[in-house]
Amino acid sequence: MAVTNETKVTQFILLGLSSDPDLQILFFVMLLVIYLLTVAGNLLILVTIYVDSQLHTPMYFFLSNLSFLDLGFSTVAVPKSLVNFILQSKTISFNDCIAQVFFIHFFGGTECLHLVLMAYDRYVAICNPLRYTVIMSSRTCVLLVLSTWVGGLVHGFGQAFPAVQLPFCGPNEIDHFFCDARPLALLACSKTFISENADMINSGILTLGSFLVLLISYAYIISTILKIRSAEGRQKAFSTCASHLTVVTLFFGPLVFIYMRPPVPLAGDKLVSGVYTIVTPVLNPFIYTLRNEKVRKAMKKLGARKVSFLGHI
């Protein structure tokens, strides 16, 4: 039977983070500040890397792509939540809900693969430094980034397509602050093993696979670093990996909790989801800029150019 004949629910209600009016005001202010910092921080990294020619290297090319993904990831979930906080109606249409499922998993899946790609970049730089420029050529870097986007696209469709096929006849309240495949499947009138577990299977394979590759990569990286004779060399090598490991922990920790278990809703799911959709995108610029001397210097140069430009107006 066609999906349009089976689906009676044309819109859903996102219950959000809290129904308490006082907490809603607090969450609205917090989310607004975090989102503005996310946009400003990631745009600053994008502009800085684009303007400064000294940052036109594979490492910073991957970092700029990560900032773009963080912008997209946060924008899919946060603005709609902000609107729902200030409006009495917290509805979202069926099509918009499915689109949100797709883009959440598109950006999330792409970021999973991109973090693996960044780990591979560090692996080549530390374990095979003499051939780094040959292996990580500009063409190779572009193709690798494109492959992560294709992988994210496949993952997004893999999450949204099963959700479209589900029949919804009520209730229509989603106990979340954005549409995701798992809470959406709980509202379906009829379920199958695939519809109930598609989210865990699809996201679980991507998350677990990416995480295992990351562990293997860093096992080789740490092993190589420990063989470096000079303490200064070891410290410099560890420093280049510390930022990436911090981001990986913040991103994959919540993903493992949400997607690597049976589809049974838990009280903390919304808060844990907020870590990788809201907190991680705003922290990434600070993690990389505070620990990266080249980026800090490039930002100071950018600021000096702006002051000089304004002074001539």
Side-chain angles (χ1 to χ4, degrees):
M1 188 179 294
V3 175
T4 53
N5 293 332
E6 292 181 351
T7 304
K8 296 180 182 179
V9 172
T10 58
Q11 61 183 16
F12 297 98
I13 299 172
L14 291 169
L15 297 182
L17 292 170
S18 173
S19 59
D20 187 316
D22 294 330
L23 285 178
Q24 285 186 355
I25 295 173
L26 176 63
F27 281 135
F28 173 79
V29 174
M30 288 176 59
L31 275 184
L32 180 60
V33 172
I34 290 173
Y35 183 64
L36 291 176
L37 287 174
T38 300
V39 173
N42 285 290
L43 281 179
L44 181 59
I45 286 182
L46 284 168
V47 172
T48 301
I49 293 174
Y50 177 78
V51 170
D52 197 313
S53 59
Q54 292 185 350
L55 300 181
H56 293 177
T57 63
M59 175 180 171
Y60 297 105
F61 173 61
F62 297 144
L63 178 56
S64 64
N65 192 62
L66 179 65
S67 291
F68 184 81
L69 291 172
D70 280 335
L71 273 175
F73 201 25
S74 182
T75 300
V76 174
V78 177
K80 179 61 178 174
S81 297
L82 290 172
V83 171
N84 287 346
F85 277 130
I86 59 178
L87 296 180
Q88 292 184 351
S89 175
K90 302 181 184 299
T91 60
I92 183 171
S93 69
F94 178 83
N95 290 336
D96 288 347
C97 188
I98 296 300
Q100 202 171 43
V101 171
F102 168 76
F103 282 109
I104 280 287
H105 286 278
F106 167 59
F107 283 111
T110 304
E111 186 155 337
C112 275
L113 297 173
H114 191 71
L115 288 172
V116 173
L117 176 55
M118 291 177 72
Y120 174 70
D121 174 65
R122 292 301 84 206
Y123 165 77
V124 176
I126 292 173
C127 299
N128 205 346
L130 297 179
R131 299 190 63 233
Y132 178 77
T133 55
V134 176
I135 296 174
M136 303 302 290
S137 64
S138 298
R139 182 175 181 275
T140 299
C141 290
V142 171
L143 289 175
L144 287 172
V145 167
L146 286 176
S147 69
T148 65
W149 283 78
V150 172
L153 194 67
V154 172
H155 177 64
F157 277 116
Q159 294 295 86
F161 184 74
V164 172
Q165 308 303 310
L166 292 172
F168 299 98
C169 51
N172 67 338
E173 292 184 343
I174 300 176
D175 189 18
H176 217 306
F177 63 95
F178 63 86
C179 285
D180 200 1
R182 179 165 295 190
L184 198 59
L186 296 174
L187 301 179
C189 301
S190 61
K191 303 173 185 177
T192 64
F193 175 82
I194 293 178
S195 67
E196 283 189 302
N197 294 278
D199 183 58
M200 183 180 70
I201 295 170
N202 193 343
S203 296
I205 290 174
L206 177 66
T207 303
L208 181 61
S210 300
F211 190 64
L212 288 175
V213 173
L214 282 165
L215 285 179
I216 295 171
S217 298
Y218 272 98
Y220 279 105
I221 290 171
I222 292 172
S223 175
T224 302
I225 291 174
L226 292 176
K227 294 176 183 177
I228 298 175
R229 293 183 178 181
S230 68
E232 183 181 351
R234 286 196 301 271
Q235 184 178 359
K236 184 178 179 180
F238 271 121
S239 179
T240 60
C241 298
S243 298
H244 188 246
L245 281 172
T246 304
V247 172
V248 166
T249 303
L250 287 171
F251 189 74
F252 278 93
L255 287 181
V256 170
F257 176 81
I258 294 292
Y259 297 111
M260 292 300 295
R261 60 178 173 82
V264 178
L266 297 177
D269 283 354
K270 287 188 285 187
L271 291 177
V272 174
S273 297
V275 174
Y276 65 84
T277 56
I278 300 171
V279 178
T280 303
V282 74
L283 288 182
N284 283 354
F286 293 99
I287 291 170
Y288 281 108
T289 55
L290 290 176
R291 297 185 61 88
N292 193 301
E293 186 177 352
K294 283 188 177 180
V295 175
R296 292 200 303 270
K297 287 183 178 179
M299 286 182 176
K300 288 180 182 178
K301 287 169 59 179
L302 184 64
R305 287 184 186 180
K306 182 180 177 180
V307 171
S308 176
F309 174 76
L310 292 175
H312 286 84
I313 294 178

